[in-house]
Amino acid sequence: MKKITAAVALAAGVLSAAPVSAAWPERPITMIVPFAAGGPTDVVARIVAENMSRTLGQQIVIENVAGAGGTTGITRAAQSAPDGYTIAMGHMGTHGAAPAVYPDLKYDPVKDFAPIGLAAGTPIVIVARKDFPAKDLGAFVAALKAGGDKLNEAHAGTGSVSYTTCTLFNSLAGAKPTRVVYRGTGPALNDLVGGQVDYMCDQIVNLVPQIQAGTIKAYAVALAERSPALPDVPTTKEGGLPEFQVTAWNAIFAPKGTPPEIVKKLSDALLKALADAGTRRRLIDLGGDLSATWAQTPEGLHRLVESEVQRWNKVLKGTAPAAK
Ligand code: MLT
């Protein structure tokens, strides 16, 4: 009897010593998108996840967990079991700016994640409601100065990309608008199209179809060169505001402690997606920038996050009102 018990215990020991991740993934994977559906992070996540699902043989299901400039969803991801079944699409706000504006942030963007890789760079575009009277960026900046807090700027919460980049833009332009908070720039864009708000600084992947359809007005793309996705929209350099150049980014993270074999499988699936002609076309047609290949690996993304936390700390420290 004793022998049998010992044999069972030994077998159990052998079983538990086997890598738990060998057969991963055996069920669908949840990818947390920390903003409302239909916005730029959601768009990038759905395009990339569709291709990765095919490679992994399991569906990656998008779950939108919005709030607090993306930090609610990313906190949930950081605190999830590190078993590869919960990952997140973070971005320049959640993994760059957030520590500078949330003193009580519940995660450390560098230490609390196993980085998987950069999905896409997303240049910023300054857009306004379609009937905003200014004819170019210079006139728009003058109108912002004159309009003060009578003008409404939409953003996706303190620390989000739209918030941080428009904080920078407003200070360069001398604008002091009323800042209106949304759960993502997907819903903010709906209100911009409807004319309920005046302007925003948003990631290009959210905007190209609306700019092409003429339902919103684009004053400038915050790049040194025009974006191939919007060849008719001038750059901030052409428009007289060369200091405002910024490209945001969206990237995949797993919780810290995720087994290296799973990180490798996720990373390989992401790299395969980013090498796929159809997936690339969809991202590039929306203005996505896939040129920073160095950051598409776990090591590269780790370096990117480290430098972004430092960069945004310098830019934003002390600029944010009480974070909400
Ligand atoms: C979104 O998906 O809504 C955005 O990434 C929000 C933002 O950070 O501006």
Side-chain angles (χ1 to χ4, degrees):
M1 181 66 182
K2 248 191 186 157
K3 258 190 196 153
I4 294 172
T5 313
V8 170
L10 187 65
V14 168
L15 284 180
S16 66
V20 280
S21 48
W24 180 93
E26 296 176 298
R27 55 186 168 86
I29 298 159
T30 298
M31 182 185 278
I32 294 177
V33 166
F35 293 97
T41 305
D42 188 70
V43 165
V44 171
R46 285 176 199 273
I47 293 173
V48 170
E50 191 182 304
N51 188 291
M52 289 176 70
S53 297
R54 285 201 291 278
T55 302
L56 294 169
Q58 286 287 349
Q59 190 71 22
I60 297 180
V61 180
I62 304 295
E63 189 184 349
N64 298 91
V65 183
T71 60
T72 303
I74 297 301
T75 300
R76 188 185 300 176
Q79 294 171 354
S80 297
D83 57 8
Y85 289 104
T86 306
I87 57 176
M89 185 63 81
H91 75 354
M92 188 179 82
T94 61
H95 285 76
V101 291
Y102 290 96
D104 298 327
L105 192 64
K106 302 251 176 345
Y107 62 85
D108 181 321
V110 177
K111 294 189 185 138
D112 290 339
F113 297 90
I116 304 300
L118 177 73
T122 49
I124 297 302
V125 189
I126 303 163
V127 286
R129 58 181 160 78
K130 70 170 185 299
D131 53 356
F132 202 97
K135 66 175 188 338
D136 57 23
L137 185 61
F140 182 61
V141 167
L144 292 185
K145 276 192 189 129
D149 64 5
K150 286 189 203 65
L151 295 174
N152 294 318
E153 173 231 314
H155 66 82
T158 303
S160 65
V161 165
S162 43
Y163 173 88
T164 52
T165 57
C166 245
T167 298
L168 200 57
F169 170 69
N170 290 336
S171 97
L172 291 168
K176 291 197 167 57
T178 298
R179 307 195 76 180
V180 185
V181 188
Y182 289 81
R183 291 171 75 75
T185 53
L189 179 61
N190 290 339
D191 277 6
L192 192 68
V193 171
Q196 283 92 354
V197 287
D198 295 301
Y199 74 102
M200 64 178 177
C201 307
D202 195 14
Q203 297 164 74
I204 193 167
V205 293
N206 197 32
L207 305 170
V208 168
Q210 299 288 3
I211 294 170
Q212 284 169 344
T215 56
I216 55 173
K217 203 177 228 178
Y219 282 112
V221 56
L223 291 170
E225 307 287 333
R226 292 191 181 203
S227 166
L230 291 173
D232 297 335
V233 176
T235 64
T236 44
K237 198 168 154 201
E238 289 172 73
L241 201 66
E243 314 89 298
F244 187 63
Q245 283 185 32
V246 52
T247 290
W249 49 268
N250 289 267
I252 301 177
F253 297 85
K256 173 182 77 177
T258 301
E261 317 85 85
I262 293 181
V263 169
K264 168 102 174 62
K265 283 185 190 173
L266 283 165
S267 163
D268 288 350
L270 173 63
L271 289 170
K272 194 168 169 200
L274 296 176
D276 175 76
T279 302
R280 293 180 69 80
R281 189 73 273 146
R282 290 174 72 191
L283 290 167
I284 289 169
D285 283 352
L286 290 173
D289 178 354
L290 304 182
S291 63
T293 50
W294 64 270
Q296 291 173 353
T297 61
E299 304 72 35
L301 179 56
H302 177 81
R303 277 189 281 132
L304 176 68
V305 172
E306 270 185 338
S307 69
E308 286 288 87
V309 169
Q310 283 178 23
R311 175 163 83 113
W312 286 103
N313 190 48
K314 282 195 204 113
V315 175
L316 289 171
K317 209 73 186 179
T319 61
K324 46 184 171 250

